[in-house]
Amino acid sequence: MSSLITSAIIGKETLLNFQNSLVVGSKADWQYSAMFGKEESQIGNSRSIRRPIAVTLQENNMSWNAANSAVTETYVKLVVDRSLTVPMSFTEGDMALKIERFSERYIGPTVRQIAAVLDARVCDSISNSTVATASATSGLSTAGLDGNAVGTPNAAGYVVGAFGTALTPATIMKAKQYLIDVACPDDGRIYGFLSSKAQSDLNQAQATLFNPLLQVDSVYRAGEIGQYAGIKFSATQSAATHINGTQTDIAVTSGTLTSGWAESATLVIDASAGINTGDMFEAPTQVLVNPLSKFPTSTKAQFQVISVTDGTHVVVSPAPISAGPYKNISATIDGATLTLVGASGASGQESLIFHKSAVACASPALSVPSKGVEMARLIQDEDIDGFVLRFLRTYDALGASTAFGGGVGTGGPGFVNRYDTIWGVKTTNVQWIVRVRA
């Protein structure tokens, strides 16, 4: 057996492959992993993420009008509700390989698949408001599992472009307009993730759109393709596919908030049949309000369906708020008819553009056993600042692992290895996220 294949070497090779493979997830905000202690590294734990406060300004002659602006702190819940385990079995012959061959044959393909799945889960949770399903394989028995063990649906603030059409620089600028209108910081931390089709469309539309010569220091990163309109773009193979429902418009009876803040709101509508989670509906005349100046913009408000409650109720995000310090639309949508963005039943992959702080992730460090295993190591990506993989290896002298579909032969002894991680994702500010269709 090769003495070079140690846990330290495996950790180094894992990080090298992981850093080069994770695209969307690498640009999320992983700082919240530090909020979870090792004793809390289990499915169902959550933390509250505070959002910036908003106040109502008074423009007057300095006279006191006794209309205090109540300062309310708002927050969203980040729940660790996803797990990923990769079991692998090796023969002694496999472990005798040189590290280069071992990494090429086993570590590289495994880690690239882990990264692709993580990216896909982030994209799908935004485009389709998909919530993780906590199960026994996630570290818990479902018998006593309550709703708090699973996070709330995610959403994006807007959709631009249309399925089946070519993505153009004009569509990218439209997405940037949305972000500017809602005071998204243009601080170099806005990232775009293009599907393969979207990337091909832009390359054909304007070959000089991206200039990699200006970014030679980062081209070794998988997917990074350049910067345009202040957005740093990467290509991803993990873009989610959304299928529009068949309900093309909804008449809203009530649901607009007139004070305070909420992550989502329940709209009373005429009919919810045919609506898919992730469907985006646009207001007829109500436009976005700049959250700082409170002045209306020229951009129509949109709302993503994150769940369908029953035949006449849907939950949307962001919540429409027509008054108060958290006002985000120019007028109430009560009594208005919202229109489905895109054609009925249309489908396709969606690229994403978002500000780093708008997507929060956490990956608590799992406990590392000190006995009973040959190797045990936590592998943490310092660049991603918070994502943690646990690697374990033990020797199965009886070959029992093959009874569960192992890969070392017919009941023969071998090395049993596994990667494990638990994590969660939460959109903290949906208005700083744009779904891009092409």
Side-chain angles (χ1 to χ4, degrees):
M1 182 178 69
S2 173
S3 61
L4 295 178
I5 301 181
T6 64
S7 62
I9 292 296
I10 289 176
K12 180 180 178 180
E13 291 295 317
T14 298
L15 274 184
L16 179 62
N17 283 277
F18 194 74
Q19 289 172 339
N20 288 337
S21 301
L22 194 66
V23 180
V24 183
S26 67
K27 298 303 187 291
D29 190 350
W30 288 89
Q31 65 171 308
Y32 302 99
S33 295
M35 298 171 64
F36 297 84
K38 287 187 177 180
E39 68 280 359
E40 300 170 304
S41 56
Q42 58 183 334
I43 296 292
N45 286 328
S46 65
R47 287 292 181 271
S48 297
I49 300 178
R50 285 190 174 93
R51 302 177 68 260
I53 66 167
V55 297
T56 301
L57 303 181
Q58 299 290 337
E59 295 184 274
N60 53 32
N61 61 356
M62 297 297 288
S63 62
W64 183 257
N65 63 7
N68 281 339
S69 177
V71 177
T72 303
E73 282 203 307
T74 61
Y75 65 91
V76 295
K77 282 280 189 181
L78 172 57
V79 182
V80 177
D81 57 359
R82 300 167 186 265
S83 67
L84 188 62
T85 296
V86 185
M88 300 174 291
S89 298
F90 303 116
T91 64
E92 291 189 31
D94 294 325
M95 299 306 298
L97 292 171
K98 291 183 178 181
I99 184 60
E100 293 83 3
R101 294 290 304 278
F102 186 83
S103 177
E104 179 183 354
R105 185 177 296 181
Y106 298 117
I107 296 179
T110 300
V111 173
R112 285 194 294 272
Q113 188 171 350
I114 293 174
V117 168
L118 290 173
D119 279 346
R121 295 293 180 266
V122 172
C123 293
D124 190 54
S125 72
I126 294 173
S127 291
N128 295 309
S129 297
T130 305
V131 180
T133 302
S135 65
T137 56
S138 299
L140 284 178
S141 166
T142 57
L145 196 60
D146 62 27
N148 293 325
V150 179
T152 55
N154 293 321
Y158 329 98
V159 165
V160 297
F163 293 133
T165 62
L167 181 61
T168 65
T171 304
I172 299 298
M173 293 306 300
K174 179 67 174 180
K176 186 67 179 291
Q177 176 188 334
Y178 272 101
L179 297 178
I180 293 174
D181 284 347
V182 294
C184 177
D186 196 358
D187 56 3
R189 297 194 300 163
I190 300 177
Y191 298 97
F193 307 94
L194 301 177
S195 67
S196 57
K197 178 185 181 301
Q199 181 188 11
S200 176
D201 289 343
L202 286 180
N203 287 341
Q204 294 180 41
Q206 187 173 343
T208 58
L209 185 65
F210 303 114
N211 186 359
L213 294 177
L214 300 178
Q215 298 178 339
V216 291
D217 61 330
S218 63
V219 295
Y220 76 95
R221 300 286 190 181
E224 293 194 6
I225 57 178
Q227 184 167 336
Y228 176 68
I231 304 170
K232 299 175 182 178
F233 282 95
S234 300
T236 178
Q237 60 181 333
S238 301
T241 295
H242 177 72
I243 303 175
N244 267 353
T246 56
Q247 186 69 257
T248 57
D249 56 63
I250 53 176
V252 180
T253 301
S254 63
T256 304
L257 305 181
T258 57
S259 63
W261 178 86
E263 181 181 350
S264 60
T266 299
L267 303 184
V268 180
I269 62 176
D270 55 342
S272 65
I275 294 179
N276 292 339
T277 56
D279 283 355
M280 191 75 76
F281 286 86
E282 186 172 81
T285 58
Q286 295 82 348
V287 297
L288 297 176
V289 170
N290 183 287
L292 301 181
S293 68
K294 299 298 188 293
F295 284 8
T297 67
S298 60
T299 307
K300 291 183 180 179
Q302 295 181 355
F303 307 96
Q304 180 168 327
V305 175
I306 60 175
S307 67
V308 179
T309 306
D310 55 38
T312 55
H313 295 81
V314 295
V315 182
V316 299
S317 183
I321 306 172
S322 62
Y326 295 97
K327 178 179 179 179
N328 60 13
I329 55 174
S330 57
T332 180
I333 61 171
D334 295 357
T337 297
L338 309 185
T339 304
L340 177 69
V341 179
S344 169
S347 66
Q349 283 188 304
E350 293 188 337
S351 303
L352 292 176
I353 296 175
F354 60 73
H355 189 274
K356 184 180 182 72
S357 65
V359 180
C361 293
S363 175
L366 292 166
S367 60
V368 176
S370 59
K371 297 180 180 179
V373 294
E374 181 191 8
M375 291 184 183
R377 187 177 186 88
L378 287 180
I379 304 171
Q380 183 167 357
D381 191 330
E382 295 179 357
D383 288 346
I384 298 176
D385 191 25
F387 185 77
V388 183
L389 280 170
R390 180 181 65 184
F391 176 77
L392 301 175
R393 188 178 88 178
T394 189
Y395 188 73
D396 177 18
L398 299 177
S401 64
T402 59
F404 305 99
V408 299
T410 307
F415 290 93
V416 180
N417 305 259
R418 61 185 292 162
Y419 287 106
D420 297 290
T421 187
I422 59 173
W423 64 293
V425 58
K426 183 60 191 170
T427 52
T428 59
N429 190 339
V430 301
Q431 292 181 294
W432 292 356
I433 306 173
V434 183
R435 295 157 53 185
V436 183
R437 294 174 175 173

